[in-house]
Structures are given as structure tokens and as C-alpha cells.
Amino acid sequence: DRESASLKIYDVLGREVRDFDLGATSPGGSTDIVWSGTDQNGIPVNSGVYFVVFRTAIGVQTLKLMMLK
């Protein structure tokens, strides 16, 4: 079976900065994501705190990260 997964990055105000649509993935599989520090339009984001939200059919995981330039 394959399940849909997504990874989104939000700023501290809750605004979506970047959306990585991972499409259908195999359960237990792994995927590497590299965020270049840009928004959805390719514009570099400011230094600060961001939240990464990973969603699958199984659940949601949120991580906090600090972008430093």
C-alpha cells in the first residue's frame, strides 16, 4: 500500500512558507528533503524560527528549526 504524505514549512506567525508534496510513499520508506531556505516562489526567507509539519495517514509530526544566515 502507498499513502499520501506532505511536508510544509511555516513561519512563527503560522503562514505557510513552503510546501513539499511528497505524493504517494511506501509505509516505512524514507525520503530526503533539502530545503534551500526559500519560499514557494524561490525567494530567500529571513533568519528566524520556522516549523516543519510532516503529515501522513498515520499522523502528524512537528519540528521547530532555526534558520540562520
Side-chain angles (χ1 to χ4, degrees):
D1 281 341
R2 298 179 75 73
E3 60 184 47
S4 179
S6 70
L7 187 139
K8 294 185 180 192
I9 300 176
Y10 297 91
D11 65 14
V12 293
L13 298 177
R15 296 178 296 208
E16 185 178 303
V17 173
R18 187 71 189 259
D19 179 10
F20 296 92
D21 181 11
L22 306 179
T25 61
S26 298
S30 66
T31 301
D32 293 329
I33 301 287
V34 176
W35 179 43
S36 60
T38 59
D39 67 12
Q40 202 67 24
N41 298 313
I43 299 169
V45 299
N46 293 324
S47 295
V49 176
Y50 292 86
F51 296 92
V52 178
V53 180
F54 179 63
R55 287 186 173 87
T56 68
I58 296 170
V60 178
Q61 183 175 7
T62 303
L63 303 169
K64 184 166 101 173
L65 62 88
M66 175 69 73
M67 169 63 76
L68 299 174
K69 293 185 180 185

